[in-house]
PDB file of all heavy atoms in Angstrom:
ATOM      1  N   TYR A   1      38.842   9.166 -38.259  1.00 97.00           N
ATOM      2  CA  TYR A   1      37.453   8.811 -38.517  1.00 97.00           C
ATOM      3  C   TYR A   1      36.608   8.904 -37.242  1.00 97.00           C
ATOM      4  O   TYR A   1      35.457   9.320 -37.291  1.00 97.00           O
ATOM      5  CB  TYR A   1      37.349   7.420 -39.148  1.00 97.00           C
ATOM      6  CG  TYR A   1      37.899   7.376 -40.552  1.00 97.00           C
ATOM      7  CD1 TYR A   1      38.977   6.570 -40.884  1.00 97.00           C
ATOM      8  CD2 TYR A   1      37.341   8.159 -41.556  1.00 97.00           C
ATOM      9  CE1 TYR A   1      39.480   6.534 -42.170  1.00 97.00           C
ATOM     10  CE2 TYR A   1      37.836   8.133 -42.849  1.00 97.00           C
ATOM     11  CZ  TYR A   1      38.909   7.327 -43.144  1.00 97.00           C
ATOM     12  OH  TYR A   1      39.412   7.305 -44.424  1.00 97.00           O
ATOM     13  N   SER A   2      37.182   8.519 -36.122  1.00 96.00           N
ATOM     14  CA  SER A   2      36.467   8.643 -34.855  1.00 96.00           C
ATOM     15  C   SER A   2      36.107  10.102 -34.588  1.00 96.00           C
ATOM     16  O   SER A   2      34.971  10.419 -34.223  1.00 96.00           O
ATOM     17  CB  SER A   2      37.322   8.100 -33.711  1.00 96.00           C
ATOM     18  OG  SER A   2      36.710   8.352 -32.475  1.00 96.00           O
ATOM     19  N   GLY A   3      37.067  10.979 -34.787  1.00 95.00           N
ATOM     20  CA  GLY A   3      36.816  12.405 -34.596  1.00 95.00           C
ATOM     21  C   GLY A   3      35.792  12.943 -35.588  1.00 95.00           C
ATOM     22  O   GLY A   3      34.901  13.705 -35.217  1.00 95.00           O
ATOM     23  N   PHE A   4      35.916  12.537 -36.844  1.00 95.00           N
ATOM     24  CA  PHE A   4      34.972  13.020 -37.855  1.00 95.00           C
ATOM     25  C   PHE A   4      33.541  12.611 -37.517  1.00 95.00           C
ATOM     26  O   PHE A   4      32.633  13.426 -37.483  1.00 95.00           O
ATOM     27  CB  PHE A   4      35.338  12.522 -39.252  1.00 95.00           C
ATOM     28  CG  PHE A   4      34.307  12.903 -40.279  1.00 95.00           C
ATOM     29  CD1 PHE A   4      34.351  14.156 -40.866  1.00 95.00           C
ATOM     30  CD2 PHE A   4      33.271  12.044 -40.626  1.00 95.00           C
ATOM     31  CE1 PHE A   4      33.375  14.548 -41.791  1.00 95.00           C
ATOM     32  CE2 PHE A   4      32.299  12.415 -41.539  1.00 95.00           C
ATOM     33  CZ  PHE A   4      32.356  13.671 -42.123  1.00 95.00           C
ATOM     34  N   PHE A   5      33.336  11.308 -37.291  1.00 96.00           N
ATOM     35  CA  PHE A   5      31.976  10.832 -37.050  1.00 96.00           C
ATOM     36  C   PHE A   5      31.416  11.331 -35.721  1.00 96.00           C
ATOM     37  O   PHE A   5      30.220  11.561 -35.598  1.00 96.00           O
ATOM     38  CB  PHE A   5      31.916   9.301 -37.124  1.00 96.00           C
ATOM     39  CG  PHE A   5      32.112   8.770 -38.508  1.00 96.00           C
ATOM     40  CD1 PHE A   5      33.206   7.989 -38.818  1.00 96.00           C
ATOM     41  CD2 PHE A   5      31.204   9.066 -39.514  1.00 96.00           C
ATOM     42  CE1 PHE A   5      33.399   7.502 -40.109  1.00 96.00           C
ATOM     43  CE2 PHE A   5      31.389   8.586 -40.811  1.00 96.00           C
ATOM     44  CZ  PHE A   5      32.488   7.808 -41.102  1.00 96.00           C
ATOM     45  N   SER A   6      32.280  11.517 -34.723  1.00 95.00           N
ATOM     46  CA  SER A   6      31.810  11.982 -33.418  1.00 95.00           C
ATOM     47  C   SER A   6      31.477  13.465 -33.408  1.00 95.00           C
ATOM     48  O   SER A   6      30.557  13.891 -32.713  1.00 95.00           O
ATOM     49  CB  SER A   6      32.858  11.693 -32.345  1.00 95.00           C
ATOM     50  OG  SER A   6      33.069  10.305 -32.204  1.00 95.00           O
ATOM     51  N   LYS A   7      32.214  14.260 -34.169  1.00 94.00           N
ATOM     52  CA  LYS A   7      32.054  15.715 -34.089  1.00 94.00           C
ATOM     53  C   LYS A   7      31.412  16.359 -35.311  1.00 94.00           C
ATOM     54  O   LYS A   7      30.718  17.355 -35.199  1.00 94.00           O
ATOM     55  CB  LYS A   7      33.417  16.388 -33.859  1.00 94.00           C
ATOM     56  CG  LYS A   7      34.141  15.923 -32.624  1.00 94.00           C
ATOM     57  CD  LYS A   7      33.379  16.281 -31.374  1.00 94.00           C
ATOM     58  CE  LYS A   7      34.151  15.828 -30.153  1.00 94.00           C
ATOM     59  NZ  LYS A   7      33.319  15.654 -28.986  1.00 94.00           N
ATOM     60  N   ARG A   8      31.640  15.834 -36.494  1.00 89.00           N
ATOM     61  CA  ARG A   8      31.187  16.490 -37.722  1.00 89.00           C
ATOM     62  C   ARG A   8      29.937  15.880 -38.339  1.00 89.00           C
ATOM     63  O   ARG A   8      29.127  16.590 -38.909  1.00 89.00           O
ATOM     64  CB  ARG A   8      32.306  16.488 -38.771  1.00 89.00           C
ATOM     65  CG  ARG A   8      33.484  17.312 -38.391  1.00 89.00           C
ATOM     66  CD  ARG A   8      33.172  18.776 -38.557  1.00 89.00           C
ATOM     67  NE  ARG A   8      34.277  19.576 -38.076  1.00 89.00           N
ATOM     68  CZ  ARG A   8      34.140  20.668 -37.360  1.00 89.00           C
ATOM     69  NH1 ARG A   8      32.950  21.099 -37.027  1.00 89.00           N
ATOM     70  NH2 ARG A   8      35.177  21.342 -36.957  1.00 89.00           N
ATOM     71  N   ALA A   9      29.805  14.578 -38.256  1.00 88.00           N
ATOM     72  CA  ALA A   9      28.654  13.917 -38.870  1.00 88.00           C
ATOM     73  C   ALA A   9      27.414  14.159 -38.012  1.00 88.00           C
ATOM     74  O   ALA A   9      27.490  14.151 -36.787  1.00 88.00           O
ATOM     75  CB  ALA A   9      28.919  12.424 -39.009  1.00 88.00           C
ATOM     76  N   VAL A  10      26.291  14.395 -38.662  1.00 88.00           N
ATOM     77  CA  VAL A  10      25.073  14.710 -37.927  1.00 88.00           C
ATOM     78  C   VAL A  10      23.977  13.666 -38.099  1.00 88.00           C
ATOM     79  O   VAL A  10      23.041  13.610 -37.321  1.00 88.00           O
ATOM     80  CB  VAL A  10      24.516  16.109 -38.307  1.00 88.00           C
ATOM     81  CG1 VAL A  10      25.458  17.198 -37.870  1.00 88.00           C
ATOM     82  CG2 VAL A  10      24.231  16.193 -39.793  1.00 88.00           C
ATOM     83  N   GLN A  11      24.074  12.824 -39.118  1.00 91.00           N
ATOM     84  CA  GLN A  11      23.039  11.832 -39.391  1.00 91.00           C
ATOM     85  C   GLN A  11      23.703  10.508 -39.723  1.00 91.00           C
ATOM     86  O   GLN A  11      24.685  10.480 -40.462  1.00 91.00           O
ATOM     87  CB  GLN A  11      22.174  12.307 -40.566  1.00 91.00           C
ATOM     88  CG  GLN A  11      20.858  11.639 -40.685  1.00 91.00           C
ATOM     89  CD  GLN A  11      19.934  11.966 -39.538  1.00 91.00           C
ATOM     90  OE1 GLN A  11      19.845  13.094 -39.098  1.00 91.00           O
ATOM     91  NE2 GLN A  11      19.247  10.966 -39.031  1.00 91.00           N
ATOM     92  N   PHE A  12      23.164   9.415 -39.191  1.00 95.00           N
ATOM     93  CA  PHE A  12      23.773   8.106 -39.392  1.00 95.00           C
ATOM     94  C   PHE A  12      22.749   7.109 -39.918  1.00 95.00           C
ATOM     95  O   PHE A  12      21.554   7.271 -39.730  1.00 95.00           O
ATOM     96  CB  PHE A  12      24.342   7.572 -38.065  1.00 95.00           C
ATOM     97  CG  PHE A  12      25.276   8.532 -37.399  1.00 95.00           C
ATOM     98  CD1 PHE A  12      24.847   9.317 -36.345  1.00 95.00           C
ATOM     99  CD2 PHE A  12      26.572   8.673 -37.841  1.00 95.00           C
ATOM    100  CE1 PHE A  12      25.699  10.216 -35.735  1.00 95.00           C
ATOM    101  CE2 PHE A  12      27.432   9.568 -37.237  1.00 95.00           C
ATOM    102  CZ  PHE A  12      26.996  10.343 -36.186  1.00 95.00           C
ATOM    103  N   ASP A  13      23.262   6.058 -40.543  1.00 95.00           N
ATOM    104  CA  ASP A  13      22.455   4.915 -40.942  1.00 95.00           C
ATOM    105  C   ASP A  13      23.150   3.696 -40.361  1.00 95.00           C
ATOM    106  O   ASP A  13      23.991   3.066 -41.015  1.00 95.00           O
ATOM    107  CB  ASP A  13      22.345   4.841 -42.466  1.00 95.00           C
ATOM    108  CG  ASP A  13      21.393   3.759 -42.930  1.00 95.00           C
ATOM    109  OD1 ASP A  13      21.115   2.828 -42.147  1.00 95.00           O
ATOM    110  OD2 ASP A  13      20.939   3.833 -44.084  1.00 95.00           O
ATOM    111  N   HIS A  14      22.839   3.385 -39.104  1.00 95.00           N
ATOM    112  CA  HIS A  14      23.535   2.339 -38.357  1.00 95.00           C
ATOM    113  C   HIS A  14      23.610   1.031 -39.113  1.00 95.00           C
ATOM    114  O   HIS A  14      24.693   0.462 -39.283  1.00 95.00           O
ATOM    115  CB  HIS A  14      22.868   2.138 -36.993  1.00 95.00           C
ATOM    116  CG  HIS A  14      23.492   1.077 -36.170  1.00 95.00           C
ATOM    117  ND1 HIS A  14      23.182  -0.258 -36.326  1.00 95.00           N
ATOM    118  CD2 HIS A  14      24.423   1.136 -35.195  1.00 95.00           C
ATOM    119  CE1 HIS A  14      23.894  -0.968 -35.486  1.00 95.00           C
ATOM    120  NE2 HIS A  14      24.656  -0.144 -34.778  1.00 95.00           N
ATOM    121  N   ASP A  15      22.464   0.537 -39.566  1.00 95.00           N
ATOM    122  CA  ASP A  15      22.424  -0.779 -40.205  1.00 95.00           C
ATOM    123  C   ASP A  15      23.293  -0.828 -41.461  1.00 95.00           C
ATOM    124  O   ASP A  15      24.010  -1.800 -41.690  1.00 95.00           O
ATOM    125  CB  ASP A  15      20.986  -1.164 -40.544  1.00 95.00           C
ATOM    126  CG  ASP A  15      20.123  -1.306 -39.287  1.00 95.00           C
ATOM    127  OD1 ASP A  15      20.693  -1.469 -38.188  1.00 95.00           O
ATOM    128  OD2 ASP A  15      18.891  -1.228 -39.409  1.00 95.00           O
ATOM    129  N   THR A  16      23.239   0.206 -42.258  1.00 96.00           N
ATOM    130  CA  THR A  16      24.036   0.250 -43.484  1.00 96.00           C
ATOM    131  C   THR A  16      25.516   0.342 -43.160  1.00 96.00           C
ATOM    132  O   THR A  16      26.333  -0.381 -43.749  1.00 96.00           O
ATOM    133  CB  THR A  16      23.619   1.451 -44.358  1.00 96.00           C
ATOM    134  OG1 THR A  16      22.234   1.335 -44.671  1.00 96.00           O
ATOM    135  CG2 THR A  16      24.428   1.510 -45.641  1.00 96.00           C
ATOM    136  N   MET A  17      25.884   1.191 -42.222  1.00 97.00           N
ATOM    137  CA  MET A  17      27.295   1.382 -41.892  1.00 97.00           C
ATOM    138  C   MET A  17      27.907   0.110 -41.320  1.00 97.00           C
ATOM    139  O   MET A  17      29.036  -0.251 -41.652  1.00 97.00           O
ATOM    140  CB  MET A  17      27.462   2.566 -40.930  1.00 97.00           C
ATOM    141  CG  MET A  17      27.127   3.900 -41.592  1.00 97.00           C
ATOM    142  SD  MET A  17      26.962   5.275 -40.450  1.00 97.00           S
ATOM    143  CE  MET A  17      28.667   5.619 -40.059  1.00 97.00           C
ATOM    144  N   VAL A  18      27.175  -0.605 -40.490  1.00 97.00           N
ATOM    145  CA  VAL A  18      27.674  -1.845 -39.889  1.00 97.00           C
ATOM    146  C   VAL A  18      27.768  -2.951 -40.935  1.00 97.00           C
ATOM    147  O   VAL A  18      28.612  -3.841 -40.824  1.00 97.00           O
ATOM    148  CB  VAL A  18      26.772  -2.259 -38.700  1.00 97.00           C
ATOM    149  CG1 VAL A  18      27.068  -3.649 -38.229  1.00 97.00           C
ATOM    150  CG2 VAL A  18      26.936  -1.268 -37.556  1.00 97.00           C
ATOM    151  N   SER A  19      26.950  -2.879 -41.973  1.00 97.00           N
ATOM    152  CA  SER A  19      26.922  -3.935 -42.989  1.00 97.00           C
ATOM    153  C   SER A  19      28.130  -3.927 -43.924  1.00 97.00           C
ATOM    154  O   SER A  19      28.350  -4.882 -44.656  1.00 97.00           O
ATOM    155  CB  SER A  19      25.635  -3.832 -43.816  1.00 97.00           C
ATOM    156  OG  SER A  19      24.529  -4.067 -42.987  1.00 97.00           O
ATOM    157  N   GLY A  20      28.890  -2.846 -43.944  1.00 97.00           N
ATOM    158  CA  GLY A  20      30.130  -2.837 -44.705  1.00 97.00           C
ATOM    159  C   GLY A  20      30.088  -2.082 -46.023  1.00 97.00           C
ATOM    160  O   GLY A  20      29.107  -1.420 -46.365  1.00 97.00           O
ATOM    161  N   TYR A  21      31.183  -2.215 -46.749  1.00 98.00           N
ATOM    162  CA  TYR A  21      31.438  -1.440 -47.961  1.00 98.00           C
ATOM    163  C   TYR A  21      30.327  -1.556 -48.997  1.00 98.00           C
ATOM    164  O   TYR A  21      29.825  -0.552 -49.498  1.00 98.00           O
ATOM    165  CB  TYR A  21      32.784  -1.865 -48.567  1.00 98.00           C
ATOM    166  CG  TYR A  21      33.114  -1.153 -49.852  1.00 98.00           C
ATOM    167  CD1 TYR A  21      33.682   0.114 -49.822  1.00 98.00           C
ATOM    168  CD2 TYR A  21      32.863  -1.733 -51.097  1.00 98.00           C
ATOM    169  CE1 TYR A  21      33.984   0.791 -50.990  1.00 98.00           C
ATOM    170  CE2 TYR A  21      33.153  -1.070 -52.265  1.00 98.00           C
ATOM    171  CZ  TYR A  21      33.722   0.190 -52.210  1.00 98.00           C
ATOM    172  OH  TYR A  21      34.011   0.866 -53.365  1.00 98.00           O
ATOM    173  N   ASN A  22      29.939  -2.782 -49.351  1.00 97.00           N
ATOM    174  CA  ASN A  22      28.928  -2.969 -50.404  1.00 97.00           C
ATOM    175  C   ASN A  22      27.588  -2.361 -50.031  1.00 97.00           C
ATOM    176  O   ASN A  22      26.918  -1.741 -50.867  1.00 97.00           O
ATOM    177  CB  ASN A  22      28.769  -4.452 -50.752  1.00 97.00           C
ATOM    178  CG  ASN A  22      29.960  -4.987 -51.518  1.00 97.00           C
ATOM    179  OD1 ASN A  22      30.620  -4.247 -52.245  1.00 97.00           O
ATOM    180  ND2 ASN A  22      30.253  -6.262 -51.347  1.00 97.00           N
ATOM    181  N   ALA A  23      27.191  -2.535 -48.783  1.00 97.00           N
ATOM    182  CA  ALA A  23      25.909  -1.970 -48.330  1.00 97.00           C
ATOM    183  C   ALA A  23      25.951  -0.447 -48.371  1.00 97.00           C
ATOM    184  O   ALA A  23      24.986   0.203 -48.782  1.00 97.00           O
ATOM    185  CB  ALA A  23      25.591  -2.453 -46.922  1.00 97.00           C
ATOM    186  N   ILE A  24      27.080   0.129 -47.964  1.00 98.00           N
ATOM    187  CA  ILE A  24      27.226   1.589 -47.983  1.00 98.00           C
ATOM    188  C   ILE A  24      27.173   2.097 -49.421  1.00 98.00           C
ATOM    189  O   ILE A  24      26.472   3.065 -49.729  1.00 98.00           O
ATOM    190  CB  ILE A  24      28.535   2.025 -47.281  1.00 98.00           C
ATOM    191  CG1 ILE A  24      28.492   1.651 -45.793  1.00 98.00           C
ATOM    192  CG2 ILE A  24      28.770   3.522 -47.453  1.00 98.00           C
ATOM    193  CD1 ILE A  24      29.820   1.790 -45.074  1.00 98.00           C
ATOM    194  N   ARG A  25      27.911   1.430 -50.310  1.00 98.00           N
ATOM    195  CA  ARG A  25      27.917   1.823 -51.718  1.00 98.00           C
ATOM    196  C   ARG A  25      26.516   1.743 -52.320  1.00 98.00           C
ATOM    197  O   ARG A  25      26.068   2.664 -53.002  1.00 98.00           O
ATOM    198  CB  ARG A  25      28.897   0.946 -52.503  1.00 98.00           C
ATOM    199  CG  ARG A  25      29.111   1.449 -53.936  1.00 98.00           C
ATOM    200  CD  ARG A  25      29.875   0.474 -54.795  1.00 98.00           C
ATOM    201  NE  ARG A  25      28.969  -0.637 -55.088  1.00 98.00           N
ATOM    202  CZ  ARG A  25      29.284  -1.919 -54.966  1.00 98.00           C
ATOM    203  NH1 ARG A  25      30.476  -2.277 -54.582  1.00 98.00           N
ATOM    204  NH2 ARG A  25      28.413  -2.866 -55.243  1.00 98.00           N
ATOM    205  N   ASN A  26      25.817   0.641 -52.049  1.00 97.00           N
ATOM    206  CA  ASN A  26      24.461   0.468 -52.590  1.00 97.00           C
ATOM    207  C   ASN A  26      23.500   1.530 -52.064  1.00 97.00           C
ATOM    208  O   ASN A  26      22.660   2.034 -52.803  1.00 97.00           O
ATOM    209  CB  ASN A  26      23.938  -0.932 -52.281  1.00 97.00           C
ATOM    210  CG  ASN A  26      24.698  -2.001 -53.039  1.00 97.00           C
ATOM    211  OD1 ASN A  26      25.354  -1.719 -54.048  1.00 97.00           O
ATOM    212  ND2 ASN A  26      24.636  -3.219 -52.552  1.00 97.00           N
ATOM    213  N   LYS A  27      23.621   1.862 -50.787  1.00 97.00           N
ATOM    214  CA  LYS A  27      22.755   2.894 -50.207  1.00 97.00           C
ATOM    215  C   LYS A  27      23.043   4.251 -50.851  1.00 97.00           C
ATOM    216  O   LYS A  27      22.122   5.010 -51.164  1.00 97.00           O
ATOM    217  CB  LYS A  27      22.969   2.956 -48.691  1.00 97.00           C
ATOM    218  CG  LYS A  27      22.151   3.999 -47.984  1.00 97.00           C
ATOM    219  CD  LYS A  27      20.690   3.620 -47.932  1.00 97.00           C
ATOM    220  CE  LYS A  27      19.931   4.607 -47.071  1.00 97.00           C
ATOM    221  NZ  LYS A  27      18.686   4.093 -46.577  1.00 97.00           N
ATOM    222  N   LEU A  28      24.330   4.563 -51.065  1.00 97.00           N
ATOM    223  CA  LEU A  28      24.687   5.819 -51.732  1.00 97.00           C
ATOM    224  C   LEU A  28      24.125   5.869 -53.142  1.00 97.00           C
ATOM    225  O   LEU A  28      23.592   6.903 -53.571  1.00 97.00           O
ATOM    226  CB  LEU A  28      26.204   5.999 -51.765  1.00 97.00           C
ATOM    227  CG  LEU A  28      26.829   6.576 -50.505  1.00 97.00           C
ATOM    228  CD1 LEU A  28      28.344   6.460 -50.548  1.00 97.00           C
ATOM    229  CD2 LEU A  28      26.413   8.018 -50.312  1.00 97.00           C
ATOM    230  N   ILE A  29      24.211   4.777 -53.873  1.00 96.00           N
ATOM    231  CA  ILE A  29      23.679   4.727 -55.234  1.00 96.00           C
ATOM    232  C   ILE A  29      22.173   4.960 -55.217  1.00 96.00           C
ATOM    233  O   ILE A  29      21.647   5.732 -56.027  1.00 96.00           O
ATOM    234  CB  ILE A  29      24.037   3.386 -55.914  1.00 96.00           C
ATOM    235  CG1 ILE A  29      25.541   3.338 -56.204  1.00 96.00           C
ATOM    236  CG2 ILE A  29      23.237   3.189 -57.188  1.00 96.00           C
ATOM    237  CD1 ILE A  29      26.057   1.976 -56.625  1.00 96.00           C
ATOM    238  N   SER A  30      21.475   4.322 -54.276  1.00 96.00           N
ATOM    239  CA  SER A  30      20.019   4.507 -54.222  1.00 96.00           C
ATOM    240  C   SER A  30      19.658   5.949 -53.844  1.00 96.00           C
ATOM    241  O   SER A  30      18.693   6.497 -54.364  1.00 96.00           O
ATOM    242  CB  SER A  30      19.374   3.518 -53.253  1.00 96.00           C
ATOM    243  OG  SER A  30      19.641   3.865 -51.921  1.00 96.00           O
ATOM    244  N   LEU A  31      20.436   6.563 -52.965  1.00 95.00           N
ATOM    245  CA  LEU A  31      20.182   7.964 -52.614  1.00 95.00           C
ATOM    246  C   LEU A  31      20.479   8.894 -53.788  1.00 95.00           C
ATOM    247  O   LEU A  31      19.754   9.862 -54.022  1.00 95.00           O
ATOM    248  CB  LEU A  31      21.002   8.371 -51.386  1.00 95.00           C
ATOM    249  CG  LEU A  31      20.537   7.804 -50.040  1.00 95.00           C
ATOM    250  CD1 LEU A  31      21.557   8.091 -48.949  1.00 95.00           C
ATOM    251  CD2 LEU A  31      19.169   8.343 -49.666  1.00 95.00           C
ATOM    252  N   LEU A  32      21.544   8.604 -54.530  1.00 94.00           N
ATOM    253  CA  LEU A  32      21.888   9.429 -55.687  1.00 94.00           C
ATOM    254  C   LEU A  32      20.828   9.328 -56.782  1.00 94.00           C
ATOM    255  O   LEU A  32      20.581  10.287 -57.508  1.00 94.00           O
ATOM    256  CB  LEU A  32      23.257   9.028 -56.243  1.00 94.00           C
ATOM    257  CG  LEU A  32      24.459   9.450 -55.402  1.00 94.00           C
ATOM    258  CD1 LEU A  32      25.730   8.783 -55.921  1.00 94.00           C
ATOM    259  CD2 LEU A  32      24.609  10.960 -55.406  1.00 94.00           C
ATOM    260  N   ASN A  33      20.203   8.166 -56.905  1.00 94.00           N
ATOM    261  CA  ASN A  33      19.172   7.970 -57.920  1.00 94.00           C
ATOM    262  C   ASN A  33      17.804   8.465 -57.478  1.00 94.00           C
ATOM    263  O   ASN A  33      16.869   8.495 -58.273  1.00 94.00           O
ATOM    264  CB  ASN A  33      19.083   6.491 -58.312  1.00 94.00           C
ATOM    265  CG  ASN A  33      20.316   6.050 -59.067  1.00 94.00           C
ATOM    266  OD1 ASN A  33      20.972   6.849 -59.719  1.00 94.00           O
ATOM    267  ND2 ASN A  33      20.646   4.772 -58.963  1.00 94.00           N
ATOM    268  N   SER A  34      17.682   8.847 -56.222  1.00 92.00           N
ATOM    269  CA  SER A  34      16.404   9.340 -55.706  1.00 92.00           C
ATOM    270  C   SER A  34      16.112  10.729 -56.257  1.00 92.00           C
ATOM    271  O   SER A  34      17.004  11.557 -56.419  1.00 92.00           O
ATOM    272  CB  SER A  34      16.462   9.382 -54.178  1.00 92.00           C
ATOM    273  OG  SER A  34      15.265   9.884 -53.661  1.00 92.00           O
ATOM    274  N   THR A  35      14.858  10.977 -56.537  1.00 89.00           N
ATOM    275  CA  THR A  35      14.483  12.275 -57.111  1.00 89.00           C
ATOM    276  C   THR A  35      14.100  13.309 -56.060  1.00 89.00           C
ATOM    277  O   THR A  35      14.157  14.506 -56.337  1.00 89.00           O
ATOM    278  CB  THR A  35      13.289  12.108 -58.079  1.00 89.00           C
ATOM    279  OG1 THR A  35      12.212  11.491 -57.370  1.00 89.00           O
ATOM    280  CG2 THR A  35      13.687  11.275 -59.278  1.00 89.00           C
ATOM    281  N   ASP A  36      13.717  12.863 -54.889  1.00 90.00           N
ATOM    282  CA  ASP A  36      13.309  13.828 -53.863  1.00 90.00           C
ATOM    283  C   ASP A  36      14.063  13.596 -52.551  1.00 90.00           C
ATOM    284  O   ASP A  36      13.564  12.963 -51.639  1.00 90.00           O
ATOM    285  CB  ASP A  36      11.797  13.773 -53.633  1.00 90.00           C
ATOM    286  CG  ASP A  36      11.307  12.399 -53.227  1.00 90.00           C
ATOM    287  OD1 ASP A  36      11.965  11.406 -53.586  1.00 90.00           O
ATOM    288  OD2 ASP A  36      10.272  12.311 -52.542  1.00 90.00           O
ATOM    289  N   LEU A  37      15.276  14.116 -52.489  1.00 89.00           N
ATOM    290  CA  LEU A  37      16.090  13.986 -51.286  1.00 89.00           C
ATOM    291  C   LEU A  37      15.673  15.018 -50.253  1.00 89.00           C
ATOM    292  O   LEU A  37      15.492  16.186 -50.560  1.00 89.00           O
ATOM    293  CB  LEU A  37      17.572  14.179 -51.620  1.00 89.00           C
ATOM    294  CG  LEU A  37      18.275  13.074 -52.387  1.00 89.00           C
ATOM    295  CD1 LEU A  37      19.719  13.448 -52.659  1.00 89.00           C
ATOM    296  CD2 LEU A  37      18.215  11.772 -51.617  1.00 89.00           C
ATOM    297  N   LYS A  38      15.566  14.574 -49.030  1.00 91.00           N
ATOM    298  CA  LYS A  38      15.283  15.466 -47.915  1.00 91.00           C
ATOM    299  C   LYS A  38      16.617  15.902 -47.302  1.00 91.00           C
ATOM    300  O   LYS A  38      17.667  15.346 -47.626  1.00 91.00           O
ATOM    301  CB  LYS A  38      14.430  14.741 -46.876  1.00 91.00           C
ATOM    302  CG  LYS A  38      13.064  14.323 -47.402  1.00 91.00           C
ATOM    303  CD  LYS A  38      12.361  13.421 -46.405  1.00 91.00           C
ATOM    304  CE  LYS A  38      11.022  12.949 -46.882  1.00 91.00           C
ATOM    305  NZ  LYS A  38      11.010  12.241 -48.141  1.00 91.00           N
ATOM    306  N   ASN A  39      16.584  16.891 -46.433  1.00 91.00           N
ATOM    307  CA  ASN A  39      17.810  17.348 -45.764  1.00 91.00           C
ATOM    308  C   ASN A  39      18.477  16.207 -45.009  1.00 91.00           C
ATOM    309  O   ASN A  39      19.700  16.090 -45.000  1.00 91.00           O
ATOM    310  CB  ASN A  39      17.510  18.504 -44.809  1.00 91.00           C
ATOM    311  CG  ASN A  39      17.254  19.800 -45.542  1.00 91.00           C
ATOM    312  OD1 ASN A  39      17.604  19.948 -46.707  1.00 91.00           O
ATOM    313  ND2 ASN A  39      16.611  20.738 -44.864  1.00 91.00           N
ATOM    314  N   LYS A  40      17.664  15.369 -44.357  1.00 90.00           N
ATOM    315  CA  LYS A  40      18.194  14.223 -43.622  1.00 90.00           C
ATOM    316  C   LYS A  40      18.967  13.290 -44.558  1.00 90.00           C
ATOM    317  O   LYS A  40      20.044  12.806 -44.215  1.00 90.00           O
ATOM    318  CB  LYS A  40      17.042  13.473 -42.947  1.00 90.00           C
ATOM    319  CG  LYS A  40      17.460  12.262 -42.171  1.00 90.00           C
ATOM    320  CD  LYS A  40      16.253  11.583 -41.534  1.00 90.00           C
ATOM    321  CE  LYS A  40      16.679  10.313 -40.835  1.00 90.00           C
ATOM    322  NZ  LYS A  40      15.541   9.629 -40.204  1.00 90.00           N
ATOM    323  N   ASP A  41      18.429  13.051 -45.753  1.00 92.00           N
ATOM    324  CA  ASP A  41      19.093  12.186 -46.728  1.00 92.00           C
ATOM    325  C   ASP A  41      20.425  12.772 -47.180  1.00 92.00           C
ATOM    326  O   ASP A  41      21.410  12.048 -47.352  1.00 92.00           O
ATOM    327  CB  ASP A  41      18.193  11.950 -47.944  1.00 92.00           C
ATOM    328  CG  ASP A  41      16.933  11.176 -47.600  1.00 92.00           C
ATOM    329  OD1 ASP A  41      16.974  10.352 -46.663  1.00 92.00           O
ATOM    330  OD2 ASP A  41      15.906  11.404 -48.268  1.00 92.00           O
ATOM    331  N   GLU A  42      20.464  14.072 -47.374  1.00 92.00           N
ATOM    332  CA  GLU A  42      21.716  14.722 -47.774  1.00 92.00           C
ATOM    333  C   GLU A  42      22.763  14.621 -46.677  1.00 92.00           C
ATOM    334  O   GLU A  42      23.947  14.397 -46.948  1.00 92.00           O
ATOM    335  CB  GLU A  42      21.444  16.171 -48.157  1.00 92.00           C
ATOM    336  CG  GLU A  42      20.636  16.302 -49.439  1.00 92.00           C
ATOM    337  CD  GLU A  42      20.234  17.728 -49.765  1.00 92.00           C
ATOM    338  OE1 GLU A  42      20.680  18.665 -49.074  1.00 92.00           O
ATOM    339  OE2 GLU A  42      19.460  17.897 -50.735  1.00 92.00           O
TER     340      GLU A  42
END
């Protein structure tokens, strides 16, 4: 995971990631339900 996030991931959501599993899941659900995703969101 250290290698993946350091080398492959390009965009982060610090507050959500630090908040744990439920926050990450909820953020993903809200992004999936969004109608106009930007490249950054993807």
Side-chain angles (χ1 to χ4, degrees):
Y1 291 118
S2 173
F4 175 84
F5 290 116
S6 297
K7 302 296 181 202
R8 294 285 175 222
V10 294
Q11 198 67 42
F12 306 101
D13 186 340
H14 179 277
D15 297 341
T16 301
M17 292 168 76
V18 168
S19 296
Y21 178 83
N22 288 331
I24 296 169
R25 189 190 73 228
N26 292 340
K27 179 72 173 201
L28 277 169
I29 290 169
S30 73
L31 287 171
L32 287 170
N33 291 333
S34 178
T35 56
D36 58 334
L37 288 179
K38 297 171 181 57
N39 285 342
K40 179 180 176 180
D41 295 330
E42 291 174 7

